[in-house]
Amino acid sequence: MSSSRMFAVNSFDFLEILTYFFAWTTLYFLLCLWNPSRSYEWHCRTVTVLHAVGITLMAIYSTYVIGPWPFTSAGGPNSPMQIRTVGLCLAYFLFDFGWCLYFKTEGPVMIAHHLLSIVGLSWCLFAGYYGTELVATIGGAEVTNPLLQLRWFLRQTGYYKTIAGDIVDWAFILSFGFIRIILGSMLLYSYYQQDTDFWGRLGGTCIYIIGWIFFLGILNYVIRKYSRRYTNRVGKVSANEATGSQRNGSVASTSEDFPRQDVKTCVGGVTGEQEILSVREIKDGNNGLFVRDAFKNSCS
């Protein structure tokens, strides 16, 4: 037995995962050294984008070119390409999970998502099976991630409250709903119709449920955002009308009496327009990183 295989169990090669983890971590620190004017959050999200793009391309190639097809041939042994894809993704989640724990940035749903992802990816490699369906799931989950990160970068650079921000928002919402909910429902249904086992079905169901939790949070965000925008517009119209009708002796109301879209308003302990769909509620600045308690303090 070779020295490298001494640290391997079926598809799980500890040295390979450790190498990938070291690569992601090194990339992050190199970005921090290269551009220290940006925050740690900025560089972590840059790594996230690179991971999402790379893993999505690998998943597409594995699913559509190499195969097998997850809607008809799930549950088989892992192929070499599936092993590389799952291993690289597992190493990234270990890096990101460690980053989140260090900066204490995540809520319970995102912590559960990370833990479930780490356990599922590890189990796929340990068991030597489930690569077909898991790689397809990885591709569907990560393909929308660059849009999520783009809206955050737009906000940090001051371009979010433009038409570009609305385009990115709706592109993310619609693509997330179509891929994670519609295609995800079809994949889970077909998975139950195939000759798959209990553990594969349990893992797929848990990932599907978390997808719905995220999607309901997204819908809640959309309703609040556009309800607030509508209220602001109605308020400005009412203020203008009141100003015109009270010019004789009365104190005129102005549009400043109403909450404006460009003024931060606290909703549920989170600064209105600074809400982040990934639940990573961090306010970024060039001089440091402040976790979610800063939001609560700013609203008090």
Side-chain angles (χ1 to χ4, degrees):
M1 179 182 295
S2 65
S3 58
S4 62
R5 295 304 299 173
M6 292 176 59
F7 298 94
V9 179
N10 288 331
S11 302
F12 189 96
D13 190 325
F14 177 77
L15 291 180
E16 182 179 9
I17 302 301
L18 187 62
T19 300
Y20 292 151
F21 174 80
F22 179 77
W24 289 122
T25 306
T26 301
L27 175 61
Y28 168 73
F29 281 112
L30 288 176
L31 289 171
C32 292
L33 292 173
W34 175 64
N35 191 2
S37 63
R38 294 296 185 182
S39 73
Y40 302 131
E41 173 83 354
W42 180 285
H43 298 309
C44 183
R45 287 182 180 268
T46 301
V47 174
T48 298
V49 171
L50 295 175
H51 164 263
V53 172
I55 286 296
T56 298
L57 293 176
M58 293 175 69
I60 291 174
Y61 182 78
S62 178
T63 301
Y64 288 94
V65 178
I66 299 178
W69 186 238
F71 287 92
T72 57
S73 305
N78 300 337
S79 69
M81 185 63 181
Q82 291 168 355
I83 294 172
R84 300 292 88 76
T85 304
V86 173
L88 195 63
C89 189
L90 172 60
Y92 163 78
F93 271 103
L94 290 172
F95 155 76
D96 195 57
F97 186 61
W99 190 94
C100 295
L101 290 180
Y102 181 80
F103 288 105
K104 300 178 182 179
T105 61
E106 299 298 347
V109 175
M110 187 59 65
I111 291 294
H113 171 265
H114 275 59
L115 286 175
L116 179 61
S117 299
I118 291 171
V119 171
L121 293 165
S122 300
W123 179 248
C124 172
L125 296 176
F126 273 118
Y129 291 89
Y130 315 111
T132 300
E133 54 268 34
L134 188 57
V135 167
T137 302
I138 291 172
E142 294 298 327
V143 70
T144 59
N145 207 324
L147 287 171
L148 177 61
Q149 308 310 321
L150 178 57
R151 74 184 291 275
W152 187 88
F153 286 123
L154 287 174
R155 182 166 52 245
Q156 299 307 304
T157 53
Y159 293 101
Y160 180 64
K161 295 178 183 178
T162 64
I163 187 63
D166 285 336
I167 292 174
V168 171
D169 263 0
W170 282 106
F172 171 73
I173 294 166
L174 295 176
S175 60
F176 189 99
F178 176 74
I179 295 173
R180 295 288 288 270
I181 303 303
I182 297 178
L183 292 184
S185 299
M186 296 170 59
L187 180 60
L188 186 65
Y189 176 80
S190 69
Y191 195 67
Y192 271 83
Q193 306 306 309
Q194 300 179 59
D195 186 21
T196 52
D197 61 18
F198 168 79
W199 295 110
R201 294 179 179 183
L202 176 63
T205 302
C206 290
I207 294 174
Y208 180 74
I209 291 174
I210 288 182
W212 264 105
I213 293 175
F214 285 151
F215 189 61
L216 292 176
I218 292 170
L219 293 180
N220 183 47
Y221 164 82
V222 171
I223 292 172
R224 290 205 313 267
K225 176 179 178 178
Y226 287 94
S227 295
R228 186 165 57 241
R229 181 175 294 184
Y230 174 77
T231 301
N232 292 339
R233 290 177 178 174
V234 172
K236 289 179 180 180
V237 172
S238 300
N240 291 334
E241 292 176 352
T243 300
S245 61
Q246 297 180 4
R247 291 185 182 277
N248 296 324
S250 300
V251 178
S253 300
T254 68
S255 60
E256 297 298 324
D257 296 327
F258 299 88
R260 299 184 304 167
Q261 185 178 343
D262 60 345
V263 175
K264 298 175 184 177
T265 56
C266 297
V267 181
V270 179
T271 306
E273 287 299 323
Q274 294 291 327
E275 293 168 283
I276 301 173
L277 297 178
S278 68
V279 195
R280 184 173 296 172
E281 296 164 357
I282 298 176
K283 183 178 180 181
D284 177 51
N286 289 337
N287 296 324
L289 178 142
F290 305 86
V291 295
R292 73 175 67 239
D293 288 341
F295 283 92
K296 298 177 181 179
N297 294 335
S298 68
C299 294
S300 59

